[in-house]
């Protein structure tokens, strides 16, 4: 009998917040992927990649993948539950909390220590994942090139974001790393809600959206390689924020709303604030897809001074467990 993979894609709730910046007040629906079974949006992708791997290679007993943390946590848990081996290829910038979760979930760790000419680890992580796949017979899904990645967001996440009962969506803000989430949301919106603006948000120094590489210190958003899934896609909007803005918004939101979200959610909130004038008169919902929770990023809380953001106040409107009538 074929082995059944836990989908990892049960619907996650929305939390509605208010942002007051002095000049404008925005209501934003935050898609709470941190409240999913695996604690991050990568749970959806992990389940789909394992299922895809078992379909293509029914005899697979060992999976390997390069990851900055969240995907590896989910794949470790899924593989362990199915009696499969999993090896995560990570680097020294991977949050320690996530490394501990991978190990505690039954996964093995391969830590790369070789950086490229730009001071990054991703190319070496990918090289090592490929080598383990070849040398040890492990199945390497390759989340960076495998279109199962955006397809799972098209089929699971996007219908939740655009659920008709919640009303029309004016704009969706999505953080990028591999670009799979943004591509899945974009493709779905072109069919079901073509007037919706899909905004891909990156941090300065990342190449995920095709910009030039620069120094970066945070994980959870961005990449040292251009997204395969977004390359040449002209209809999606691309915006950048600084790492300082992303981390500071994350910290301020945690303090004001009492909800710990990840650094990529901070980037989305900052991007929405930067466009508050245009967004305030749209008449539709504004959605930010929060990829994960804030626990892995607590070590960043003292990295920047959130008071430099200027006047800001986040207020929790409802807690996301049920949509208001």
């Amino acid at each position: 009998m074929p082995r059944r993979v836990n989908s990892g894609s049960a619907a996650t709730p929305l939390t509605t917040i208010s942002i007051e910046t002095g000049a404008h007040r925005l209501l934003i629906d935050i898609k709470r992927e941190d409240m999913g079974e695996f604690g991050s949006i990568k749970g959806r992708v992990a389940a789909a990649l394992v299922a895809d791997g078992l379909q293509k290679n029914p005899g697979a007993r060992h999976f390997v993948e390069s990851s900055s943390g969240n995907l590896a946590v989910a794949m470790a848990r899924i593989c362990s539950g199915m009696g499969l081996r999993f090896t995560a290829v990570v680097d020294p910038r991977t949050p320690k909390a996530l490394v501990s979760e991978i190990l505690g979930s039954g996964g093995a760790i391969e830590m790369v220590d070789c950086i490229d000419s730009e001071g990054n680890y991703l190319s070496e992580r990918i090289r090592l994942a490929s080598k383990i796949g070849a040398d040890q017979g492990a199945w390497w899904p390759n989340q960076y090139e495998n279109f199962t990645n955006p397809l799972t967001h098209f089929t699971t996440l996007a219908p939740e974001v655009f659920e008709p009962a919640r009303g029309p969506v004016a704009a969706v803000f999505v953080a990028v790393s591999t670009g799979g989430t943004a591509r899945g949301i974009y493709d779905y919106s072109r069919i079901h809600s073509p007037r919706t603006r899909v905004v891909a948000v990156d941090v300065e120094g990342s190449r995920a959206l095709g910009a030039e590489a620069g120094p970066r210190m945070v994980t959870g958003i961005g990449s040292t390689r251009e997204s395969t899934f977004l390359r040449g896609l002209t209809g999606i909007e691309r915006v950048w924020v600084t790492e300082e803005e992303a981390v500071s918004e994350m910290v301020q939101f945690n303090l004001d709303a009492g909800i710990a979200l990840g650094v990529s959610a901070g980037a989305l909130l900052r991007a929405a604030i930067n466009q508050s004038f245009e967004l305030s008169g749209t008449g539709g919902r504004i959605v930010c897809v929060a990829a994960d929770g804030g626990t892995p990023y607590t070590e960043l809380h003292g990295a920047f001074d959130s008071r430099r953001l200027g006047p800001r106040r986040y207020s929790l409107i409802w807690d996301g467990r049920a949509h208001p009538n």
Side-chain angles (χ1 to χ4, degrees), residues 117-182:
S117 60
E118 297 174 344
N120 297 301
Y121 296 94
L122 180 57
S123 59
E124 177 63 14
R125 289 204 331 246
I126 292 174
R127 186 202 66 78
L128 182 56
S130 176
K131 184 175 188 298
I132 291 172
D135 292 351
Q136 300 183 26
W139 186 264
W140 174 41
N142 189 2
Q143 63 162 324
Y144 311 98
E145 305 280 346
N146 190 333
F147 270 81
T148 298
N149 180 344
L151 179 61
T152 194
H153 295 300
F154 180 94
T155 57
T156 69
L157 174 64
E160 297 172 29
V161 170
F162 290 95
E163 184 181 343
R166 301 189 189 277
V169 178
V172 183
F173 288 78
V174 185
V176 294
S177 53
T178 65
T181 307

Side-chain angles (χ1 to χ4, degrees), residues 188-268:
Y188 187 94
S189 72
R190 295 312 90 185
I191 299 170
H192 300 279
S193 185
R195 293 186 179 181
T196 298
R197 295 172 54 205
V198 179
V199 184
V201 181
D202 202 358
V203 289
E204 293 180 3
S206 164
R207 295 193 62 231
L209 294 179
E212 292 186 8
R216 293 188 298 127
M217 63 171 286
V218 303
T219 61
I221 184 172
S223 178
T224 58
R225 73 196 299 269
E226 184 179 3
S227 168
T228 296
F229 310 124
L230 301 179
R231 186 182 296 126
L233 198 64
T234 58
I236 200 166
E237 297 183 35
R238 292 165 162 81
V239 301
W240 289 262
V241 300
T242 67
E243 288 189 329
E244 178 178 9
E245 290 171 327
V247 173
S248 298
E249 290 291 352
M250 174 188 72
V251 173
Q252 192 63 49
F253 177 77
N254 188 349
L255 292 173
D256 286 355
I259 299 173
L261 296 180
V263 68
S264 65
L268 301 184

Side-chain angles (χ1 to χ4, degrees), residues 15 92 144 293 298:
T15 292
Y144 311 98
T298 53

Side-chain angles (χ1 to χ4, degrees), residues 6-8 36-40 42-44 47 70 73-74 77-78 101:
N6 185 343
S7 71
E37 180 179 357
F38 297 103
S40 83
K42 292 293 189 177
R44 300 177 187 262
N70 282 325
V73 168
R77 287 177 56 187
I78 292 168
E101 280 196 60

